[in-house]
Amino acid sequence: MSQVIRVGIAGFGMSANVFHLPFLLHDSRFKVVKIFERSGNKVATKYPDIQTVRQFDDLLLDDVDLVIITTPNLTHYTMTKHAILAGKHVIVEKPLSVTAAEALELAELAEKQQVKLSVYQNRRWDNGILTVKQILASQLLGDIVDYELHYDRYTQAKNSKVWKETGERGVGLVYDLGVHLIDHVVHLFGLPEALFADLRCQHPNTLGEDNFQIYLYYPDKKVTLSSSKYVREQGPVITLHGTLGSYLKYGIDNQEALLMAGVIPQGDWNKEGKEHWGILNTEVNGVHIRTTLETIPGNYQAYYDNIYAALTANEPLQVTAFQAAKVLELIEKVYQSAENGQKIILK
């Protein structure tokens, strides 16, 4: 394979435009050669130098090394399998598939075909999460006992993306946002011992859940994951409590908003202002301190740095399909818990 990775992208919606193309187009290690747009001419208008193709199979020809799938969730399994069998490396927008069994099948198939398969779990590189990792590594709070993550919004309207409102398994808020939060917690703490979930439909006539609280239980801590669409006055996005102190962070990572505004992801493009830094209240060498803690800048570019290293130097993938399958196992248990109203013991 040449040192420049030739990329074909399936889909030209928000995911492709906000989370992938801004990084790929400003990284000389990658070259986007084709975009699959089933109808319309948005690609040609915005990027006339990139070839528009009308069939997914056109991404699977010899002039593409890496296929990125950003189409609706229910298409992921079929498209990913097709691309793997064509010998392509693949990145799939989360979730990898609807079921853990399908995800595991794809992970094993990629190994058999000797291609790389990763899932775009970019939220591992959110600024708050990177800061939490630093806090844990430095043991600033002692032993962690409670961790709470919120991803709240305020909107009176149903999702504008019709395919996210069909009510089918695989398209609700748990698959949309919960998959990010669960992946992050498993990345930090490993698999929980038990879980309990409460899923609700807050918008009138909505077909899929648009509110959730998921509780993950570990031997020494509890993790709470929460998302709602009716939060006009937001509280902390991150609440972390330990035996020595606490850390509270308001405001979600700023990368998405900046990318949507057209900011080029280069240099200190997303360095957070002091007014947004989290509050650290703890003890250091027996001395009580309460101060703000500088937020580590988020870094979605790190995902593509790893992809390049994996494709050119066979470095291990940081986000694997096998990890995605484990997260989907937990999501299946989330729905089971919500339907039965019971705490699920996992191991």
Side-chain angles (χ1 to χ4, degrees):
M1 178 187 296
S2 65
Q3 292 300 297
V4 175
I5 307 301
R6 299 167 301 177
V7 179
I9 300 177
F12 195 61
M14 175 184 173
S15 174
N17 279 282
V18 174
F19 293 114
H20 296 280
L21 284 165
F23 295 98
L24 295 168
L25 294 177
H26 296 93
D27 189 333
S28 61
R29 300 171 299 177
F30 296 90
K31 181 176 177 59
V32 180
V33 296
K34 295 179 180 179
I35 296 178
F36 166 46
E37 184 181 17
R38 194 181 302 276
S39 60
N41 295 290
K42 294 179 181 178
V43 174
T45 300
K46 190 171 183 179
Y47 301 112
D49 294 333
I50 299 175
Q51 181 184 356
T52 299
V53 297
R54 301 302 188 188
Q55 301 293 328
F56 178 67
D57 283 354
D58 289 333
L59 298 184
L60 308 183
L61 302 179
D62 290 342
D63 57 351
V64 170
D65 306 309
L66 170 65
V67 174
I68 301 174
I69 297 173
T70 69
T71 51
N73 296 0
L74 298 182
T75 68
H76 289 183
Y77 169 77
T78 301
M79 282 186 164
T80 301
K81 186 173 183 178
H82 196 180
I84 290 171
L85 289 173
K88 302 302 177 185
H89 303 294
V90 185
I91 293 171
V92 190
E93 262 295 345
K94 52 76 191 171
L96 174 54
S97 191
V98 174
T99 70
E102 289 179 346
L104 184 59
E105 177 192 339
L106 293 173
E108 292 173 345
L109 181 62
E111 279 197 343
K112 181 179 178 181
Q113 296 294 115
Q114 298 184 329
V115 297
K116 304 293 186 183
L117 172 61
S118 183
V119 183
Y120 191 63
Q121 290 287 0
N122 60 309
R123 296 290 178 180
R124 289 192 194 180
W125 289 274
D126 274 1
N127 59 17
I129 290 170
L130 293 177
T131 306
V132 166
K133 289 182 71 173
Q134 180 189 63
I135 291 170
L136 296 177
S138 58
Q139 297 185 315
L140 277 173
L141 303 182
D143 297 327
I144 302 303
V145 295
D146 284 294
Y147 186 28
E148 188 165 345
L149 283 169
H150 279 258
Y151 204 114
D152 296 324
R153 299 170 176 174
Y154 181 78
T155 174
Q156 295 182 352
K158 292 170 65 176
N159 200 306
S160 59
K161 297 180 180 179
V162 175
W163 64 266
K164 289 190 176 184
E165 291 288 348
T166 60
E168 296 172 89
R169 185 61 55 88
V171 296
L173 194 63
V174 173
Y175 278 91
D176 189 26
L177 296 181
V179 66
H180 276 309
L181 301 182
I182 294 172
D183 173 79
H184 158 60
V185 173
V186 172
H187 176 61
L188 283 184
F189 301 124
L191 295 170
E193 291 187 339
L195 65 78
F196 178 79
D198 179 24
L199 311 182
R200 292 187 293 157
C201 297
Q202 291 184 313
H203 284 333
N205 303 316
T206 190
L207 297 177
E209 81 279 350
D210 54 17
N211 171 279
F212 65 73
Q213 283 76 45
I214 300 169
Y215 305 93
L216 304 177
Y217 300 92
Y218 292 82
D220 56 350
K221 67 181 72 69
K222 183 179 77 172
V223 176
T224 303
L225 310 176
S226 183
S227 184
S228 174
K229 295 190 177 181
Y230 278 136
V231 179
R232 201 163 214 163
E233 185 68 32
Q234 296 199 9
V237 172
I238 292 173
T239 303
L240 186 64
H241 298 301
T243 53
L244 291 179
S246 302
Y247 172 74
L248 274 68
K249 174 76 170 69
Y250 291 79
I252 63 173
D253 180 274
N254 58 3
Q255 290 177 93
E256 179 177 340
L258 292 171
L259 291 166
M260 290 186 70
V263 177
I264 297 174
Q266 294 180 340
D268 291 335
W269 69 288
N270 64 324
K271 185 176 177 63
E272 193 175 67
K274 291 183 179 181
E275 67 275 15
H276 299 297
W277 293 358
I279 299 169
L280 180 70
N281 189 339
T282 190
E283 296 178 20
V284 177
N285 298 323
V287 178
H288 174 251
I289 61 168
R290 186 180 187 277
T291 185
T292 55
L293 181 67
E294 182 174 358
T295 306
I296 296 178
N299 187 15
Y300 296 163
Q301 178 63 50
Y303 177 84
Y304 272 111
D305 291 343
N306 175 245
I307 291 296
Y308 186 80
L311 297 189
T312 61
N314 204 32
E315 292 290 327
L317 287 169
Q318 292 190 29
V319 184
T320 72
F322 289 102
Q323 294 168 356
K326 289 294 184 183
V327 170
L328 284 165
E329 284 184 21
L330 293 178
I331 286 177
E332 290 173 350
K333 297 299 183 182
V334 162
Y335 283 98
Q336 180 184 340
S337 173
E339 289 166 0
N340 298 337
Q342 295 179 343
K343 185 177 183 179
I344 304 294
I345 305 301
L346 302 171
K347 58 181 180 179

